[in-house]
Amino acid sequence: MQKNESTTSRPDLRLKILEKAVSLFKEKGIKSVRMDDIAQSLAISKRTLYEEYANKEQLLLEVIIREHERRKKELNEFSLKAENVMQLIVMVLRQKIHELGVVSPLFYSELSRYKPVKEYLTATFEENRQQSMAFFLKGVESGFFRKDVSYDIFSLLTDAQLSYIMNTRMYEQFPLKDIFETFVNVQLRGICTEKGRRILDRSYAENGSL
């Protein structure tokens, strides 16, 4: 054990801790994962772990910040591949559906229990909302989305429905992946023009899903 700790640089160690933490959190949920579990999984001492992160809240916050940055990078990569905004939206949603199929619902439902994380998510909410609105408006300009929809209201309704899904723990009755895919299929088709629906139909025909 000591050899493993002594031969790992601090930046590398922090990265290994973050990667292991996000893996365990997504697999088992946040509450059930102890700092001891993370240390044991990495074959390091608890002291070494606590020298890097004072507590689980601090570690979780850095995990969430890193996940946020990862998604932004992923979005930029999708933007380079997509021929138009509709294809970009399909790529983003397809990736989200995939993640929901392999991540425990507890990871999402337990985030709000941790104050620093909740504050960070609140702080980044407006950034995410403005990004979504930019997609909607660009979709309207490109002829993929309907012009007769209030996207401010649509955005608020979407947030309310997603909150309902998590608050009622609907994921205990149905897989979260299936819930989200059904939700997206209904909601997205509702705002699409015929031009936009053709891209969705093509995606379903080629992939068997979004």
Side-chain angles (χ1 to χ4, degrees), residues 14-30:
R14 288 181 72 88
L15 179 59
K16 289 180 182 295
I17 292 171
L18 284 172
E19 289 176 343
K20 178 55 67 175
V22 72
S23 175
L24 290 175
F25 289 152
K26 286 184 175 182
E27 177 187 353
K28 301 179 179 181
I30 302 164

Side-chain angles (χ1 to χ4, degrees), residues 45-92:
S45 66
K46 287 193 294 182
R47 177 179 177 180
T48 299
L49 178 57
Y50 281 108
E51 284 175 353
E52 299 299 326
Y53 296 99
N55 51 55
K56 189 165 79 170
E57 280 192 348
Q58 184 188 52
L59 174 56
L60 176 61
L61 177 59
E62 192 157 337
V63 163
I64 296 305
I65 292 173
R66 185 167 178 264
E67 284 290 286
H68 182 66
E69 294 302 316
R70 178 187 64 79
R71 285 192 294 271
K72 285 168 62 174
K73 181 181 178 181
E74 189 175 73
L75 178 60
N76 289 334
E77 292 173 352
F78 287 157
S79 298
L80 296 175
K81 297 177 183 178
E83 296 179 7
N84 53 58
V85 67
M86 193 67 192
Q87 284 190 358
L88 175 58
I89 290 172
V90 168
M91 287 181 182
V92 171

